[in-house]
Structure formats: structure tokens, C-alpha cells
Amino acid sequence: MIAKARKWIIHEYNKEKASCFADELGISPLVTGILLERGFSNTDEMKDFLYGASEPFHDPFLLKDMERCVARIEEALAKEEKITVYGDYDVDGITASSLLYIYLKSRGANVNTYIPKRESEGYGLNDDALKNIYEDGTSLVVTVDCGISGIKEVANAPQGLDIIITDHHTVPDELPKAYAIVNHKQKDCPYPFKDLSGVGIAFKLCQALEQKTPGQLPTWTEYTELVALGTVADIVPLLGENREIVRRGLKAMATTKLIGLQALMKAAGCNPDNVNSDNIGFMLAPRLNAVGRLEHAQSAVELLVTKNPVTAEEIADKLNRENAERQEISRKITDSAEAMLAKEKHIDTAVILTDHDLPEHLKWHPGVIGIVASRLVDRYHLPTIIMSVNEEGMAKGSCRSIPALNLYEAIAAESDLLTQFGGHHQAAGLTLPFANVPEFIRRFKEHVKSVLNPDDYIPHQEVDVIVEQGRITEKDLQELSMLEPCGCSNLSPVFAFQNALLKRPRSMGKDRTHLQFDVDKGDNSYRAVMWNGANQIPYLFDASITDIAFSPKLNVWKDTTSVQLYAHNIRQGLALGDMREAVDKKYNLLKAVARTESKISCFASLSARELKGALLEDGLEQYVDVLKFSEIDKTCKTAVIYDMPSLSMKQLVKELKARGVRVIMVLYKRAEGESLLDRLNIECPDREMMANAYRQVMVALGKGNTAKDYLLALPYTCENSLKIMEELGFIISTGDDYKKGEITKRNLEESRLYVKLQSVRSQRQKVYQENMRIGHYDLVRG
């Protein structure tokens, strides 16, 4: 498929103001410029952001119900009641459970943790769990990172079991009748910062328990390494309190006393002295998530709270193995989902798939489908829901979205079909009877169509800085590190080169799925990597002129430090995909493109009739206009050259570019040129071909085979060779038959048609040979 072209959003800032602020702060104008275009308007705001505010944390008692929550927990501590911390099975829930457990344990609490099993219990509170917890002696349950949607479960809870809900997810219209609810997203909650994670709320609860009375600024800041881990993993905005939590937490990881976290970093190969948000997102969080996806996240909590080094090492090693298993399972599910999509007539509006019709051994693991949904969003840029159906006929779905769609609202609109749902703007989960799935798909897609317009389906590439001269130094990157920690709402700055020279594009990695290339800009050269970018190789060639959006990073190899580029997007004036050497049949390639594009122009000649029939049979005729090569004026922004043209490819591409075509795919095979040359030898016969045709026709007429259709079926004859013989008087037409004419020696050049065809033959022969031979570079550069 063609990767969707991104719309570049290039941000600009007042360079004079950036320079003034830089002088005042004693830092690079590159940093102040980026902060300016991100909405910082004065040096005080910039100072607080870069160096941290003197009072970064708000009074936790500003959170609605916090006083009531603290009073009930203090009562439980005083009476030595058993407290159960009830968490979620993702990293946010795991770290929140661990944090609150460690804090309460330090206060002498009789406390334990409970994490539901993803596969058998699902997300959030459930009746059986609450019943068992109560029967085990618990009188107070404190949820972390879950519970806000547990209306029925709280109502059904055993008498004598108090439930305090602490959560950060979107608040439904109706709330559970819990003892207390601490969630900053409640409409009447005055807490000023609305983007805390689940572990962030748990952190505020610990601050409140330590502080005891409202009206003060909190001083308790222990275990920020746990809070940072969950905050980054849950992809909440790294601004305000979150930024301060993560900044402190990353620093605290170097000296953490949590034996389990030490073991986790060691197992993941993460240097504790230099942990950044990327290390959390790509090294630590996946290992904690893996156990919750495949088995039971309780063991991840045990890792983070244990004081036994042997236990910590054993669990960390187990998480490593399960993370590798999770990677393999997610790869297989992704392949399975892609195989389903390959059978779809057209992919638009939203991707919604279930494993209902798969054999038992190929069913999708419900713990991994969220990863698969994210991958499909990245590939198709469509809202995506992947559902796993269990033996009881219940479909559990993981949902991911594109920026333009509020996923929670889109799902809530169909809540009458659902058993359970919850989540955020961009990610959610749901459960419903499989019998309701067809109606849910219909209504969900109708809702998406009603709220999105065509431009919403175009992915964006944000660019912070255009690097005019192409020079990026180690000092620049050291200055830019002041913007760390980077993540949601504080993304790593994206730079761009315009009209850079891209050289030696090549695949890399174990599965050859990543792209590596070299870049020259001005007098500067860099090595660049694009993760999962190898599918762009057909559109690239050595020494191509491109615009490249990237994040620069310092790369250290054998004591040598250099600037390496991590490419996000490659933009070309014309993206030309050369598929002439592709193994797949060209119709399959066309079909794959047609299934994801709203309209493409497909130029065909000999295959046109057969192609139209195939597209009609596959239901794709409305997305593909099959055009003659003479109908260039009818083309749209995406064009496919299906058959080898009889005009120069170089000229054809030039004309298509002039008409505003942005993407061209060349699908014809080089072998088609050999076939066209063979056909040309017959249709435009030379002297040797005419001699062969003449002999065959004379023999046939001598045996009484005079029908025109019979003669045309002979190996060397065609309409033109018969006309040439007729012009020279060798044969005489009698309607649908021929007879011998006057057999005298004649020069072939006496036939005007023969002379004309030799000119056509020479021209087309040259074009076909050039079209077979021409390289990618020559096609694009013209």
C-alpha cells in the first residue's frame, strides 16, 4: 500500500524575541524559539518549565473528596482494618498499586494488593473479586487507575465493604455510589491540573495522607521513580505536575532503593545513570505490561514492592521472557489482522476486526490486541478497534484513535450496545455481546463519518525548526536536552532539511523492516534511520532530492560521538514507486492500493478490458478510473501505470507531474517489454517477417485455405502483413476471403504501409527498450 502522504505543519516563531529571551536566560535561542512556538510567552514561564517551579505541586486536598478519603484511610490505619489496593493491569495501574502499597505499609497498615486477571476478569471492578476480597477480611478497598465506571459493581458490593475510588479516566454521566471518589476530571472538582495519570492520583493521595490537613503545599515526594514510570507509560501530557514528577523520577532512578526496579533496569539493559522517557516507553514499560497482557500483572507488583534481591531477579527475568513472547504473539496477531483486511473491498472510515471466525488455535490473545490496534492506526491512520471473542460469546475490544476523533465520545454514543467501556480521547476499552457487534460496527462507523471530514484522515507531520544550512552540533543537542523529559504534549523537537540529498537507501534490522540512509545537506553529512520505514524503498533512489523531518540524537559508538537522525517523514515533490521488480502480481499490487485510496487513475492499454472486469468483480471500480494513455488530462493526484506505455515513460511522468500528480506507481513488469517487442515484430513486420508471412499465406492459399480468419491465425501473419501483400498485388481480397494475385518480383518499399510501419516499428522499439531499461532516478529527475 502507499503510505499516506503527511501534511507538514511547519511552526514559526519570532527569532528576534527568541534571541532576546535566550540572552536573558543564558541559553540557546533554539530552545527559547521552540518554547515560544509551544505557547510560552515570557521568561518566567520558560524558567519554570526548564528548571522547575519553586512550588511545583498543588495542595492535594483541592481534589474533591480527598478529605473524606484521607479520613477513612486514617480510620482504617488506626483500627488496623485490612485494606486492599485494587489496581489495573497496565503499567499505570501496576505502579499506582505498588506506590500506595509501599506507602501504606510504611505507615504500618494491614494492606495487600489485588490486580484482576485481564483474560478472565477484564478491566476494572468485578463482583466476584469484591466478594472474595471481603470474605478474605478486607473492610476497605481503595482503587487506583480504575473504578470510575464501576456503577453496578459498587452497588453490588458486600455490605460492610467501603470502596474509595481513585481514578483519572473520563468521568461518565452517572457515578458509582462509592464512599469517596477522587478524580480530577469530575466537573465540580477544583483541582487546577487535569492531566494526572492513575499513579499521579495515587501520588497525590500519599501526599495528602502525609500532609493530613488541607491548606498547605505538599512536601512528601518519595518514590517519584514509580510515579514517573507509570506517568510516561500512560502517555499523559508531560506538562505541569507531570513534568516535575517525571523529571524528579528519572533522576531518582539512578539511586532508587527499590530492589525490583533495579532488577528490571538491569534485565532490560537500561543504564540507571541516564534514564530518559524513551527508555521507559521502549524498555521498562513493555516488560511490565507484558506480564499483565499474557498472565497476571500481580507478579509485576510483587517485583516493584519486594525487598528480596533473589525474588526480584527471578521476576525480572520472567518479565523479559514474557516480553519476548508478547512481541511474537503481537506479530502473529498483526499478520492475522492484515490478512483479514486484505479481504476487505475497501478500507475507510474505521478498522474494526474480530477473531470470531478464526479456529481456536488462532484466536487473538486479549492482552495483546491493544498493541495491534496501535500498529494498525499507525499504518492506516483510521480509528481502530480489535476485538477478541471468548467462549461465553463476549467480545472484548481495545480501541485506538486518530487525533481528530474523540474515541471515548464515539464509543459512549453506542453505550446501549455495550456491557462495559471506559478510556480516554485516544484510547479505550469495551466489552459487548458478540451478537451486538454487527450493529455496533454499523453505528460506530456512521458516528465517525458524521464527525470527521476528509482532511481529518490526513496524518500531520509537525516540524519545529527548518535547518537552513544543515548544521546540527553536539552543543545544539546538549542545549535541547533542557526540554527533557519529552513525551505527550512536550514532544521531542522535530527538525527538517529541505532539498537534502538522500543517498544509499537500504533496509536494516533482523526482519529488514527498518530503513537506513545517508543525508547530505550543505557541507554536512549524517546517517539516518527510520523505524519500520523499509516499505518506502520502492519510492526512494540513490541521490534523490527530498525534504526530511527528523529528531537528531547523539550516537556513541566505540568512543566516537556523532549526530544521528531519526527520520519521521520523507517528503518528495513526486513520490514515484518503482514496482517493476516486485514479486507480487501487478493486479494484486493495484488492488492493495485501491483498497485504501479514495480515487486513483490507472493507465492501461492491452489489459484495460480485463482490468475493468476484475475491478468490477472485486467491488473496486468506484475507486479506480481505468484510463487510456491518451487521457492524461483526466488523472487525479495518484496515478498507476499498469501496462507498459507505447510512449516514453520519461515524457509520460513529466506530463503527469505537470498536471499535479503527487504519487505515481509503476507496476508493469520488464518482461512486458519483451512481449511488446515480439508483438511489434508481427504488427510492424520487417523484411524477414514479411518473407515468413508471404510463404505461409501462399502455401495456405495453394491448399484452398482462403478464409481471412484462417490466414490471420498463422504464426507470422497479421492485418498489416495481409494489407502489405494486397498493396503489392500478391493477394486479392474478396470480402472475407483472399485469392492469389499476380506473382511478380516487387520491392517491399513500394508499399506505403510497409514504409510507414518501419518508421513506427523503429520509434516504438526505441521507446519499449527505453521503458524497460530506464532507472528510477531518470524517471523522477526526467
Side-chain angles (χ1 to χ4, degrees):
M1 60 173 285
I2 301 173
K4 285 190 176 180
R6 297 186 191 179
K7 180 180 180 181
W8 280 32
I9 310 297
I10 299 175
H11 299 286
E12 296 184 355
Y13 55 85
N14 186 316
K15 292 184 178 178
E16 185 177 343
K17 184 181 284 188
S19 183
C20 290
F21 285 170
D23 289 342
E24 187 174 340
L25 293 171
I27 59 176
S28 167
L30 197 59
V31 175
T32 53
I34 290 170
L35 291 177
L36 272 173
E37 52 107 330
R38 292 186 178 184
F40 292 83
S41 58
N42 59 65
T43 54
D44 288 339
E45 290 178 353
M46 291 181 180
K47 278 181 186 177
D48 287 349
F49 182 82
L50 294 172
Y51 305 112
S54 57
E55 297 175 345
F57 298 118
H58 303 294
D59 180 357
F61 285 97
L62 291 174
L63 284 158
K64 181 185 177 184
D65 268 7
M66 184 61 87
E67 285 190 67
R68 183 171 171 80
C69 174
V70 167
R72 180 65 185 90
I73 293 174
E74 290 290 351
E75 179 187 350
L77 289 170
K79 293 180 178 180
E80 297 184 354
E81 295 178 56
K82 187 174 182 179
I83 303 170
T84 294
V85 178
Y86 191 116
D88 185 22
Y89 37 62
D90 66 1
V91 178
D92 193 16
I94 289 166
T95 52
S97 300
S98 302
L99 174 70
L100 189 54
Y101 172 87
I102 292 170
Y103 175 80
L104 292 175
K105 202 71 177 172
S106 73
R107 294 279 307 274
N110 178 12
V111 61
N112 67 349
T113 59
Y114 185 90
I115 307 289
K117 293 180 179 178
R118 182 190 291 259
E119 193 160 357
S120 59
E121 296 180 82
Y123 170 78
L125 298 169
N126 70 80
D127 292 344
D128 289 341
L130 292 176
K131 178 175 177 291
N132 292 335
I133 287 169
Y134 178 70
E135 290 177 353
D136 195 41
T138 291
S139 56
L140 175 62
V141 166
V142 182
T143 75
V144 288
D145 193 37
C146 65
I148 197 66
S149 299
I151 300 167
K152 296 176 184 176
E153 291 78 12
V154 172
N156 295 337
Q159 291 292 323
L161 180 66
D162 287 340
I163 299 176
I164 292 173
I165 291 173
T166 76
D167 200 351
H168 74 120
H169 291 97
T170 302
V171 176
D173 293 335
E174 182 183 354
L175 292 174
K177 290 182 169 48
Y179 185 90
I181 297 177
V182 178
N183 184 323
H184 52 350
K185 290 177 181 173
Q186 295 180 85
K187 290 179 181 178
D188 54 349
C189 178
Y191 197 75
F193 185 66
K194 301 294 186 181
D195 289 315
L196 289 167
S197 61
V199 70
I201 296 287
F203 179 70
K204 300 306 296 185
L205 174 55
C206 292
Q207 286 186 328
L209 285 164
E210 191 71 13
Q211 184 176 317
K212 292 186 174 57
T213 56
Q216 306 171 42
L217 292 177
T219 58
W220 188 88
T221 57
E222 300 296 313
Y223 305 112
T224 51
E225 59 266 48
L226 281 181
V227 194
L229 188 51
T231 298
V232 172
D234 216 51
I235 319 179
V236 291
L238 295 190
L239 302 171
E241 283 188 294
N242 287 341
R243 178 173 172 81
E244 187 61 28
I245 285 169
V246 175
R247 186 211 310 279
R248 295 184 182 212
L250 293 176
K251 186 177 179 180
M253 285 187 183
T255 57
T256 183
K257 295 178 182 178
L258 297 173
I259 292 171
L261 184 54
Q262 293 173 8
L264 178 65
M265 288 190 284
K266 181 179 178 181
C270 179
N271 180 2
D273 295 326
N274 192 28
V275 182
N276 59 34
S277 51
D278 281 349
N279 297 146
I280 291 177
F282 296 106
M283 299 174 76
L284 303 180
R287 285 165 169 79
L288 291 173
N289 260 329
V291 68
R293 295 182 187 281
L294 302 183
E295 290 192 18
H296 192 190
Q298 188 67 44
S299 61
V301 175
E302 291 170 8
L303 170 68
L304 295 178
V305 303
T306 187
K307 295 181 179 180
N308 186 323
V310 175
T311 301
E313 185 174 345
E314 289 174 351
I315 298 176
D317 288 342
K318 175 186 174 185
L319 265 56
N320 245 3
R321 293 191 300 273
E322 291 189 348
N323 187 50
E325 183 183 355
R326 185 270 308 167
Q327 290 172 331
E328 179 61 17
I329 291 172
S330 63
R331 183 191 64 78
K332 289 180 178 178
I333 296 176
T334 301
D335 290 346
S336 175
E338 289 283 16
M340 286 187 185
L341 287 171
K343 297 175 183 177
E344 297 276 336
K345 285 185 177 179
H346 199 256
I347 303 170
D348 53 31
T349 309
V351 171
I352 308 177
L353 301 172
T354 84
D355 66 353
H356 180 264
D357 295 328
L358 292 176
E360 193 61 36
H361 69 286
L362 295 178
K363 292 285 189 182
W364 298 339
H365 196 297
V368 181
I369 54 178
I371 298 171
V372 176
S374 295
R375 288 179 180 173
L376 295 180
V377 170
D378 288 343
R379 181 164 191 187
Y380 295 97
H381 199 70
L382 295 171
T384 298
I385 301 176
I386 304 296
M387 301 186 205
S388 174
V389 184
N390 64 21
E391 294 176 354
E392 288 76 39
M394 298 300 291
K396 295 183 178 180
S398 285
C399 321
R400 302 293 184 268
S401 191
I402 57 177
L405 179 71
N406 186 317
L407 189 57
Y408 181 87
E409 291 180 359
I411 293 171
E414 324 307 336
S415 60
D416 59 303
L417 298 172
L418 307 177
T419 305
Q420 189 180 37
F421 74 97
H424 305 290
H425 185 282
Q426 293 291 281
L430 55 78
T431 304
L432 73 164
F434 179 74
N436 291 355
V437 167
E439 179 64 10
F440 173 80
I441 292 174
R442 185 191 69 78
R443 283 167 47 177
F444 182 83
K445 287 189 173 182
E446 285 298 320
H447 177 89
V448 173
K449 284 181 181 177
S450 71
V451 298
L452 298 186
N453 60 61
D455 286 346
D456 292 329
Y457 293 103
I458 300 173
H460 289 179
Q461 177 61 63
E462 306 279 341
V463 174
D464 293 288
V465 180
I466 298 292
V467 184
E468 301 288 354
Q469 303 302 318
R471 182 168 172 77
I472 302 172
T473 67
E474 292 180 31
K475 184 180 178 182
D476 290 333
L477 297 191
Q478 289 165 357
E479 293 268 10
L480 289 168
S481 68
M482 299 176 71
L483 298 171
E484 293 282 354
C486 292
C488 178
S489 298
N490 181 43
L491 299 174
S492 294
V494 175
F495 294 75
F497 291 148
Q498 292 180 318
N499 298 317
L501 189 68
L502 185 153
K503 302 189 300 185
R504 297 178 59 235
R506 55 211 180 267
S507 62
M508 60 171 282
K510 180 182 176 182
D511 299 322
R512 315 305 295 176
T513 55
H514 308 305
L515 173 66
Q516 188 177 66
F517 55 94
D518 300 323
V519 181
D520 287 353
K521 176 64 179 176
D523 296 327
N524 306 283
S525 298
Y526 304 91
R527 176 69 53 83
V529 171
M530 177 182 274
W531 304 123
N532 298 308
N535 59 349
Q536 295 202 35
I537 288 178
Y539 292 87
L540 304 173
F541 56 91
D542 191 26
S544 54
I545 304 299
T546 61
D547 298 340
I548 303 168
F550 60 88
S551 292
K553 305 283 185 183
L554 286 179
N555 182 53
V556 181
W557 175 251
K558 293 183 177 180
D559 299 325
T560 300
T561 302
S562 62
V563 176
Q564 182 164 297
L565 314 183
Y566 289 85
H568 303 296
N569 190 233
I570 300 171
R571 185 174 68 170
Q572 303 177 77
L574 172 69
L576 190 144
D578 188 353
M579 309 292 185
R580 288 176 291 180
E581 301 295 336
V583 175
D584 291 338
K585 293 181 179 179
K586 62 180 183 178
Y587 180 70
N588 291 339
L589 293 169
L590 173 65
K591 190 163 66 170
V593 175
R595 288 186 305 109
T596 58
E597 294 290 310
S598 58
K599 181 68 76 174
I600 61 175
S601 301
C602 182
F603 292 93
S605 52
L606 298 177
S607 303
R609 180 177 295 180
E610 177 187 350
L611 180 57
K612 288 179 180 178
L615 291 168
L616 184 63
E617 184 176 338
D618 288 327
L620 294 170
E621 73 283 357
Q622 61 182 307
Y623 307 109
V624 182
D625 287 335
V626 180
L627 303 175
K628 299 175 184 176
F629 285 102
S630 59
E631 298 179 301
I632 291 178
D633 59 316
K634 298 181 181 179
T635 192
C636 62
K637 297 292 184 184
T638 300
V640 172
I641 301 175
Y642 192 79
D643 291 334
M644 183 183 284
S646 57
L647 66 157
S648 165
M649 272 291 294
K650 195 180 285 189
Q651 184 61 33
L652 176 61
V653 169
K654 186 176 180 179
E655 290 187 32
L656 289 172
K657 283 171 65 177
R659 294 190 177 276
V661 173
R662 300 299 303 272
V663 179
I664 298 175
M665 287 186 68
V666 183
L667 297 188
Y668 68 79
K669 306 298 183 183
R670 297 185 192 274
E672 289 181 38
E674 300 291 347
S675 298
L676 287 171
L677 287 173
D678 291 341
R679 187 184 181 93
L680 187 64
N681 284 337
I682 295 173
E683 292 183 349
C684 298
D686 61 7
R687 190 174 300 277
E688 182 180 352
M689 290 296 291
M690 279 303 305
N692 290 333
Y694 175 81
R695 282 192 292 271
Q696 286 184 335
V697 168
M698 291 300 121
V699 170
L701 293 177
K703 293 179 178 181
N705 296 315
T706 62
K708 181 178 180 180
D709 289 344
Y710 179 87
L711 297 179
L712 286 174
L714 296 171
Y716 295 104
T717 58
C718 66
E719 287 274 3
N720 286 336
S721 59
L722 291 178
K723 287 179 180 178
I724 291 169
M725 284 188 264
E726 191 175 357
E727 276 191 6
L728 296 173
F730 296 151
I731 58 175
I732 298 171
S733 172
T734 59
D736 291 332
D737 292 279
Y738 282 98
K739 65 179 182 179
K740 288 184 179 182
E742 183 180 352
I743 309 301
T744 59
K745 188 173 182 178
R746 301 287 298 274
N747 194 323
L748 281 171
E749 280 71 19
E750 294 179 44
S751 165
R752 290 183 179 179
L753 179 58
Y754 175 79
V755 173
K756 178 182 177 182
L757 290 177
Q758 297 319 293
S759 176
V760 171
R761 176 191 176 93
S762 176
Q763 291 172 2
R764 287 194 182 176
Q765 199 171 45
K766 182 179 178 182
V767 167
Y768 291 152
Q769 288 172 344
E770 179 188 276
N771 289 350
M772 289 164 59
R773 195 171 52 239
I774 192 167
H776 199 163
Y777 176 88
D778 291 323
L779 278 175
V780 177
R781 307 312 299 172

